[in-house]
Amino acid sequence: MSETYPLQRESEFSWRIEPTGKMRVPGIIYADEELIRAMDDKVFEQLCNVAGLPGIVQAAYAMPDAHWGYGFPIGGVAAFDADQGGVVSAGGVGFDISCGVRALRTGLTIDEIEPVKKQLADALFRQIPVGVGSTGRIHLNDKGMTAMLRGGARWAVEQGFGEMEDLQHIEEKGCMAGAVPDEVSARARKRQQDEMGTLGSGNHYLEVQRVAQIYDQRIATAFGLRENDVIVFIHCGSRGLGHQIGTEFLKYMVLAASQHGIELPDRELACAPINSELGQAYLGAMRAGINCALANRQIITHLTRQVFADVLPKADLTLLFDVSHNTCKVETHLVDGRKRKLYVHRKGATRAFGPGNPDLPETLRAIGQPVLIGGSMGTESHILAGSEKGTELSFNSACHGAGRAMSRHQATKLWKGRSVVDELADRGIIIRSPSMRGVAEEAPGAYKDVRAVVDAAEKAGLAHKVARVEPHVCIKG
DNA sequence: ATGTTC
């Protein structure tokens, strides 16, 4: 338990830090006691800093998987009102803009995969570029880049990557409105021109998984999931482009803070008023970054379909959903009984719209949004559904994954990549990666227990558990 | 996360 921060237990799964000093609103953390005990005090410090930013509404929130991040905690949620001096923060979105997870049904069961599992792993590893600085077969000139940044997954489908039907099951229908490609620098564009349709590195991956357990039969049926079904999880983001946008705007926001009359408790919290030239420029660039990530996952989906068509011609890959967990989005939420338009930052936090939300496609509106929670390599992942009361609890946000339990450096001292691969192979999990060091850094033991995180999110009321899935093939950055 | 330090 934190020595420094006075955490009041509000309920079994929620904890509160009352506003003191420069805090404008309380900090609220959703977690069980064990997760709270394991949280670094840095999370609480960063949450209190966020709670002091201009125009913040209701509370600064931390999800059960929260850990220390750049400025904002990863697993942090904060909403701002533009009319009350609210700000937008590059550090509140994160460097990998619109990093997220997409889930595909395959129409196959595990029995059909087993005989060709190795062949499938090799073909996916061959066809989907992965690793630091990986490039693909798509090369965009400046005009093509502008079209991609404006159109997102819709652009990708128009280029022949996937089906129009896919767009219904992507946040923003696959195309983030309000993107301003002109706000994306030449350098960011250059970094991305050969990187479309690539997975990247770090914790990014493509997994072939089996639905191992159904928690909610009604919702699972609505999501088209049955036990032993094979699905695919794709976890990646906006590659070099998002990182470059984040780096540049962070610098501009630090430089402009004093002009905007913003006093920063931590320069990593750099932000700009939503109603300022810089705030609007960032929002335009960040939304273009969102489109880049949506297009990237759409192209990877197309490559995945091609591989399955070769190896398992019977497969029919359909999109369950695509969620982003590093964004700032304008949404309407009920605050103190009043509907307000808010700029909701989610950094390492998944949007989790509940049943009835008008932004959900018709097929899911009565059910709630699929919430895709990727575990670490070699461990289980989870599919949840957004809850009705999520709007008042966390502006409809939930956890995004297991969260690291130790640094990458520490992990490489404890594990060797080759032995991690061998141990997972013994358990029937095939890993393919260009980097054994990357594999060591991502060893399952270097992460928290994703099930504890998901259970805490459910018990706090943020989302509802639907299914647990286990990995069989993992293509790893 | 990231052309893993412009």
Side-chain angles (χ1 to χ4, degrees), chain A residues 232-455:
Chain A
V232 175
F233 257 41
I234 298 167
H235 177 206
C236 61
S238 51
R239 305 288 283 107
L241 182 129
H243 194 270
Q244 188 63 31
I245 292 171
T247 304
E248 290 171 12
F249 276 92
L250 202 79
K251 194 171 61 189
Y252 303 148
M253 285 175 175
V254 170
L255 293 172
S258 62
Q259 294 168 38
H260 291 131
I262 296 171
E263 197 188 319
L264 295 174
D266 172 358
R267 62 177 268 135
E268 292 186 358
L269 275 179
C271 56
I274 294 157
N275 291 330
S276 70
E277 213 172 304
L278 180 55
Q280 288 299 307
Y282 175 70
L283 284 167
M286 188 268 305
R287 288 165 180 157
I290 289 178
N291 280 331
C292 175
L294 297 180
N296 196 29
R297 289 195 286 271
Q298 184 65 33
I299 295 166
I300 293 171
T301 298
H302 179 72
L303 299 175
T304 307
R305 280 176 170 148
Q306 286 183 328
V307 169
F308 272 80
D310 278 349
V311 179
L312 288 150
K314 178 175 173 280
D316 178 22
L317 273 60
T318 55
L319 186 47
L320 168 57
F321 213 67
D322 181 302
V323 294
S324 296
H325 49 228
N326 280 1
T327 58
C328 173
K329 289 186 174 178
V330 181
E331 295 170 9
T332 302
H333 290 280
L334 208 59
V335 179
D336 297 330
R338 188 161 67 89
K339 277 190 176 178
R340 287 169 71 179
K341 191 177 103 170
L342 302 173
Y343 288 71
V344 183
H345 294 64
R346 295 189 184 89
K347 179 186 186 181
T350 307
R351 198 190 72 179
F353 280 162
N357 191 297
D359 280 352
L360 292 175
E362 266 177 49
T363 49
L364 294 173
R365 204 165 295 158
I367 311 292
Q369 179 208 303
V371 177
L372 310 171
I373 311 299
S376 53
M377 176 182 61
T379 61
E380 63 198 36
S381 295
H382 287 263
I383 297 171
L384 291 80
S387 72
E388 244 156 27
K389 58 180 175 178
T391 182
E392 58 196 69
L393 288 173
S394 60
F395 303 116
N396 285 123
S397 311
C399 54
H400 84 307
R404 290 200 77 87
M406 66 180 73
S407 70
R408 293 183 172 279
H409 183 71
Q410 204 177 342
T412 57
K413 301 208 154 191
L414 290 176
W415 291 282
K416 289 273 162 269
R418 176 48 59 191
S419 50
V420 171
V421 168
D422 290 345
E423 280 161 32
L424 291 171
D426 288 344
R427 291 167 38 206
I429 303 167
I430 303 177
I431 307 291
R432 290 284 183 273
S433 173
S435 165
M436 280 307 116
R437 182 180 149 192
V439 169
E441 290 177 354
E442 293 289 321
Y447 280 83
K448 290 181 211 170
D449 176 6
V450 70
R451 201 181 297 191
V453 166
V454 164
D455 283 347

Side-chain angles (χ1 to χ4, degrees), chain A residues 56-87:
Chain A
I56 187 165
V57 173
Q58 197 161 273
Y61 295 98
M63 302 294 110
D65 52 338
H67 52 131
W68 181 18
Y70 188 95
F72 281 55
I74 297 162
V77 177
F80 298 84
D81 187 333
D83 297 334
Q84 296 190 352
V87 294

